[in-house]
Amino acid sequence: MRIKILALFISVFTLTTTVSLAQENPTSIIKLENRITKSVEIGIDGMACQEGCADKIASNLKEKDGVISADISFDNKNGNIVFDPSLISIEEVKSIITGTKVKNYEYTITSVTPQEN
């Protein structure tokens, strides 16, 4: 009986140590640092408020693979989007913005300005 308990303890300890070490592996951080991204400022017309329109556009963008960040401002009538062009195109980003549905509001792109990363 003691041998079984000892074997169980060793198995659990080994598994816990392996999982712990796997979580500390920095390779996922390195991959993110080496990712090639593009940043753009996109002018957006047609938003009526921050909480409904701008936040919904940001939420829709962030759900899409390849969008790293999306900061949409009703006050500034624009959005700053960082994305991975190998996963999503600027045309897809613009389509998500104009395709967002909040009540009967229609959003149009007024400008697209590349930003330095």
Side-chain angles (χ1 to χ4, degrees):
M1 182 68 172
R2 289 182 183 181
I3 294 176
K4 288 182 181 179
I5 293 174
L6 181 59
L8 179 61
F9 176 78
I10 291 171
S11 297
V12 170
F13 178 77
T14 303
L15 181 60
T16 304
T17 304
T18 303
V19 169
S20 177
L21 290 174
Q23 291 174 348
E24 293 175 8
N25 186 347
T27 56
S28 61
I29 295 170
I30 292 169
K31 286 181 184 176
L32 209 119
E33 289 174 357
N34 290 334
R35 180 182 285 187
I36 296 173
T37 62
K38 287 190 177 181
S39 300
V40 292
E41 180 180 295
I42 298 180
I44 304 168
D45 197 23
M47 294 186 287
C49 66
Q50 180 66 44
E51 292 78 23
C53 299
D55 290 348
K56 181 62 177 171
I57 292 170
S59 174
N60 286 350
L61 286 165
K62 291 175 186 174
E63 289 177 1
K64 187 69 175 170
D65 285 342
V67 175
I68 312 302
S69 67
D71 181 26
I72 309 298
S73 171
F74 163 71
D75 291 334
N76 297 329
K77 299 193 180 322
N78 70 10
N80 291 303
I81 297 101
V82 179
F83 64 99
D84 181 338
S86 70
L87 298 175
I88 187 169
S89 70
I90 187 64
E91 295 306 318
E92 289 174 289
V93 169
K94 292 176 2 183
S95 178
I96 291 169
I97 293 169
T98 59
T100 296
K101 300 296 179 211
V102 177
K103 297 184 181 181
N104 291 327
Y105 300 117
E106 291 186 22
Y107 309 112
T108 55
I109 305 298
T110 59
S111 64
V112 177
T113 308
Q115 304 293 302
E116 291 194 29
N117 289 342

